[in-house]
Amino acid sequence: DQQVKQNSPSLSVQEGRISILNCDYTNSMFDYFLWYKKYPAEGPTFLISISSIKDKNEDGRFTVFLNKSAKHLSLHIVPSQPGDSAVYFCAASAIGSQGNLIFGKGTKLSVKP
Amino acid sequence: NAGVTQTPKFQVLKTGQSMTLQCAQDMNHNSMYWYRQDPGMGLRLIYYSASEGTTDKGEVPNGYNVSRLNKREFSLRLESAAPSQTSVYFCASSATKNTEAFFGQGTRLTVV
């Protein structure tokens, strides 16, 4: 059973608009959440993270929101740029783990000029 | 600024052959990981090593073995490759829990 779910396989947005990528999780022991970006033929690169003691974290154009009661997090990209086109993975690690990350299946974002 | 380096980048094996995927990191990280990525499946953890001298199974360990040779290096071995092991393999490392993991560029393995 999937513990981290990204229910939208793809998302298309216009350049300059907001991109919102969503992620749901089922394991209440998760205490740290991350977003990774992946281009074809490259390894995932870290974007932004959030601890379960917070509900928001910002880094430039990227903001992650965490709603613990709903077991939901989202990544907002404002404004979206064509270079943001990539696959975005949501990941989480659990209390007591050794930092092992559980990944969602990813959402492919396409930003059109 | 190498980060996490994986070799080889591409490999084709015949069913039953063996091979070792190499991974090294130069960030003095304690933890290292091996993931595989299959179409539509995200990344799944094969094995991990929380510190030098320790290794543990992840979600999909069957058919693989690992060695944490020293703090820098963490290798993944396929003793008898099967077509189901055709995948892209990523090595990663992190300093501690609740810090980001850094990934290598991946090894694309095809088993025919």
Side-chain angles (χ1 to χ4, degrees):
Chain A
D1 190 29
Q2 265 197 290
Q3 298 184 65
V4 177
K5 301 177 185 179
Q6 293 178 257
N7 292 319
S8 298
S10 62
L11 175 68
S12 182
V13 300
Q14 208 67 33
E15 181 179 7
R17 306 295 292 269
I18 184 171
S19 296
I20 300 176
L21 295 98
N22 293 304
C23 179
D24 297 295
Y25 62 95
T26 58
N27 188 342
S28 57
M29 298 299 285
F30 286 150
D31 65 344
Y32 188 63
F33 303 88
L34 309 90
W35 284 93
Y36 280 84
K37 175 180 180 179
K38 186 181 181 305
Y39 293 118
E42 294 185 10
T45 54
F46 170 74
L47 262 181
I48 192 168
S49 62
I50 188 167
S51 164
S52 60
I53 62 173
K54 295 186 174 182
D55 55 18
K56 178 182 175 181
N57 189 27
E58 284 183 84
D59 184 0
R61 296 186 298 115
F62 302 93
T63 302
V64 56
F65 296 92
L66 176 62
N67 182 334
K68 288 186 290 294
S69 60
K71 293 191 174 67
H72 177 83
L73 66 157
S74 60
L75 174 69
H76 292 210
I77 306 174
V78 184
S80 301
Q81 300 172 353
D84 296 330
S85 297
V87 177
Y88 289 78
F89 290 99
C90 172
S93 70
I95 297 169
S97 75
Q98 299 296 329
N100 315 335
L101 298 177
I102 308 296
F103 282 83
K105 293 184 177 182
T107 297
K108 184 175 183 180
L109 174 65
S110 299
V111 180
K112 301 188 175 180
Chain B
N1 227 13
V4 179
T5 303
Q6 292 182 233
T7 55
K9 287 188 169 49
F10 301 94
Q11 183 72 48
V12 179
L13 288 179
K14 293 182 178 178
T15 298
Q17 286 185 317
S18 63
M19 79 161 294
T20 300
L21 281 65
Q22 307 286 354
C23 175
Q25 51 93 7
D26 61 2
M27 296 173 282
N28 201 36
H29 285 169
N30 291 314
S31 300
M32 297 186 73
Y33 314 88
W34 277 105
Y35 289 87
R36 61 178 286 175
Q37 185 190 13
D38 301 296
M41 294 295 291
L43 284 85
R44 293 182 293 168
L45 183 66
I46 305 171
Y47 270 94
Y48 65 99
S49 170
S51 61
E52 186 178 350
T54 69
T55 61
D56 286 286
K57 294 178 181 180
E59 181 186 355
V60 288
N62 291 345
Y64 305 95
N65 286 300
V66 290
S67 295
R68 183 75 182 267
L69 305 169
N70 47 55
K71 193 170 187 179
R72 290 187 65 247
E73 297 172 289
F74 188 38
S75 62
L76 178 72
R77 182 159 178 84
L78 288 70
E79 290 290 353
S80 179
S84 61
Q85 294 177 304
T86 293
S87 188
V88 181
Y89 292 84
F90 291 101
C91 177
S93 70
S94 65
T96 62
K97 182 177 166 10
N98 290 4
T99 60
E100 66 268 29
F102 293 83
F103 284 79
Q105 287 199 306
T107 296
R108 183 174 294 275
L109 175 67
T110 302
V111 183
V112 298

